[in-house]
Amino acid sequence: MKKEHIEEIHYIRALAFLAVVLQHSIGHYIFVPEAHLADGVAFTFLLLISKFAVPMFIFVTGLVLFYNYDGRLNYGTFIKKRFSDIIVPYLFWSFIYLLFQNKDLITAVYRFGDVFLTGKASYHLWYVIMIIQLYITFPISRFIIMQARRWICTPVAVYTAFAILGIVYIVLMTYPIHVTAARWNIPLITPILTKYADRNALNFFYYFALGALAGLTITHWRAWINRHASWIYSIFIVMSGIMAYRTISSFGLLPALKTEYSQLLLLRPVTAIFLISSVFATYLFCMRVSNVANNRTRRVITFISHYSYGAYLVHAFVLGVSYWLPDYFSNYINVTLRTIIAFMIASFLSVMLTYVLSKLPMGHIMTGLRKAPSKAKVS
């Protein structure tokens, strides 16, 4: 039986991809000498409106998996598809990044075995390593959540369960496991919980669980989101104000301007509360926009969404080229505007390059795409 098409998924994927490119564009310009206080303030708000990207990608992963695989799961077929669509393009681009870094085929091959398991071939590939863990362990998380579903079957029980789970998640951010793990110094375990904590899927489990809830109860989820729209937007705005204040107040003005944005790191307790609120706000926004968007907007959003994974893999490479134009006019435009121009160029080129590569005979290896997306099932 064909399932209902979840239109807002395309909007979430497209906006999350654009948000990632914006964050990485900011990362290039954030500490340039010519940046002023106004640029620092602008960067703070740009980061706040784009910080939802990683949590929403994880949320969507949970939603899609539990929406599509609520029946019998053939793990072999499941993993084979993810290996072909996710891991193979990741391996391809990891090698390409290594090749450009080392300018030497032999060195790139030698280093490949050292970095492909950690995502260190480029600064953005950590996310792929983290999401692969969610795919590999999906039967386990699916079993746990399906068993819990038998007991958590009333609205009050759902609120209670996710409130407790959220508190546990925040506590883990407050009293991070990596501090204890560093003292233990256990081979393999300690590096996973310390050096590679940012790509440990356990540190993002709450967003995945929220996605699972949405996927298993999509009709009720949408209704609940709509019913509490005022509260969702209000909490998000308040948390955005708190995060903006914490970040901007940390700037140093004397003897010279010094900006820093550590308050916005993903694995911090207050940031986690802000990000959880952004998940609800972003879903609500995308759901409502998808209901009123015209056909042209839908086509553009669907196009970006369809090519978003390949564009994500390639965008770090494209960003290096995109800086050239705004930097050429650095004497005439401010740092914030240069950032926005680089973001727009990189976003466009990344999506279009992925589109072109997907049409090549071996395009699937580079993009993970085989055919046009099906309207019957989100994948």
Side-chain angles (χ1 to χ4, degrees):
M1 180 178 177
K2 291 183 178 180
K3 292 191 172 184
E4 176 191 3
H5 178 61
I6 307 177
E7 181 71 20
E8 58 266 27
I9 291 294
H10 296 302
Y11 291 76
I12 293 171
R13 280 178 173 159
L15 291 182
F17 162 71
L18 295 174
V20 166
V21 181
L22 178 57
Q23 289 182 60
H24 293 162
S25 300
I26 293 171
H28 175 77
Y29 287 105
I30 212 163
F31 297 121
V32 296
E34 58 268 34
H36 299 295
L37 178 60
D39 296 305
V41 173
F43 285 154
T44 299
F45 284 100
L46 288 174
L47 285 170
L48 285 171
I49 65 172
S50 61
K51 209 65 182 176
F52 71 89
V54 168
M56 285 310 295
F57 270 134
I58 300 168
F59 171 90
V60 166
T61 300
L63 188 159
V64 170
L65 289 179
F66 280 88
Y67 183 74
N68 284 341
Y69 296 97
D70 58 346
R72 183 176 178 273
L73 174 67
N74 185 321
Y75 187 63
T77 303
F78 173 84
I79 285 297
K80 182 180 178 180
K81 185 179 189 305
R82 269 66 200 179
F83 180 83
S84 175
D85 296 351
I86 305 295
I87 299 177
V88 169
Y90 160 73
L91 295 175
F92 174 84
W93 285 106
S94 293
F95 185 74
I96 294 297
Y97 283 114
L98 282 176
L99 196 58
F100 272 86
Q101 291 168 20
N102 295 280
K103 313 294 183 183
D104 176 14
L105 179 62
I106 302 300
T107 305
V109 172
Y110 177 78
R111 288 195 60 207
F112 185 75
D114 182 48
V115 303
F116 85 95
L117 287 176
T118 61
K120 294 179 69 176
S122 183
Y123 59 82
H124 67 303
L125 295 179
W126 68 270
Y127 168 79
V128 183
I129 291 298
M130 186 270 295
I131 215 72
I132 287 172
Q133 297 169 49
L134 295 177
Y135 288 133
I136 292 174
T137 60
F138 177 55
I140 300 174
S141 61
R142 183 172 179 266
F143 175 79
I144 293 172
I145 290 174
M146 288 303 190
Q147 291 299 312
R149 189 185 186 188
R150 297 181 179 180
W151 300 94
I152 307 171
C153 51
T154 65
V156 173
V158 172
Y159 297 149
T160 303
F162 274 86
I164 293 173
L165 197 62
I167 292 171
V168 170
Y169 184 65
I170 301 302
V171 168
L172 289 177
M173 298 296 104
T174 308
Y175 302 99
I177 298 174
H178 72 263
V179 175
T180 304
R183 297 195 189 111
W184 291 343
N185 195 25
I186 302 174
L188 185 62
I189 301 298
T190 292
I192 291 174
L193 297 176
T194 55
K195 185 178 180 180
Y196 302 111
D198 61 345
R199 60 211 68 193
N200 184 340
L202 288 175
N203 287 325
F204 302 93
F205 74 88
Y206 193 72
Y207 310 116
F208 185 75
L210 280 176
L213 173 65
L216 291 171
T217 63
I218 189 64
T219 302
H220 296 293
W221 169 266
R222 285 169 165 169
W224 187 91
I225 290 287
N226 261 322
R227 193 164 59 249
H228 297 88
S230 297
W231 278 105
I232 289 171
Y233 281 142
S234 297
I235 293 172
F236 175 71
I237 291 170
V238 169
M239 287 306 305
S240 296
I242 292 172
M243 297 304 296
Y245 177 81
R246 287 167 61 91
T247 302
I248 296 172
S249 63
S250 69
F251 292 177
L253 301 178
L254 297 173
L257 175 65
K258 183 181 180 181
T259 58
E260 66 99 12
Y261 304 86
S262 61
Q263 295 292 337
L264 300 178
L265 292 175
L266 290 174
L267 301 181
R268 289 200 167 205
V270 179
T271 308
I273 298 173
F274 164 70
L275 293 176
I276 291 169
S277 74
S278 75
V279 167
F280 291 98
T282 303
Y283 194 96
L284 174 62
F285 175 79
C286 290
M287 182 174 64
R288 292 193 165 179
V289 171
S290 70
N291 290 333
V292 300
N294 57 36
N295 289 334
R296 178 177 294 180
T297 301
R298 286 193 177 97
R299 285 196 297 269
V300 171
I301 291 295
T302 302
F303 185 84
I304 297 173
S305 171
H306 183 51
Y307 296 102
S308 60
Y309 179 61
Y312 177 87
L313 293 175
V314 76
H315 86 272
F317 176 76
V318 175
L319 268 173
V321 179
S322 303
Y323 300 135
W324 178 84
L325 181 62
D327 287 352
Y328 183 79
F329 295 99
S330 60
N331 292 330
Y332 308 99
I333 56 178
N334 62 48
V335 175
T336 301
L337 186 54
R338 286 159 60 187
T339 302
I340 294 173
I341 293 172
F343 153 69
M344 295 173 65
I345 294 172
S347 299
F348 176 78
L349 291 180
S350 296
V351 173
M352 295 312 298
L353 178 59
T354 304
Y355 168 77
V356 172
L357 292 176
S358 70
K359 304 302 180 184
L360 298 178
M362 301 293 287
H364 182 257
I365 293 176
M366 296 177 277
T367 66
L369 297 171
R370 291 183 184 274
K371 56 183 179 180
S374 171
K375 293 184 178 181
K377 188 176 183 180
V378 179
S379 59

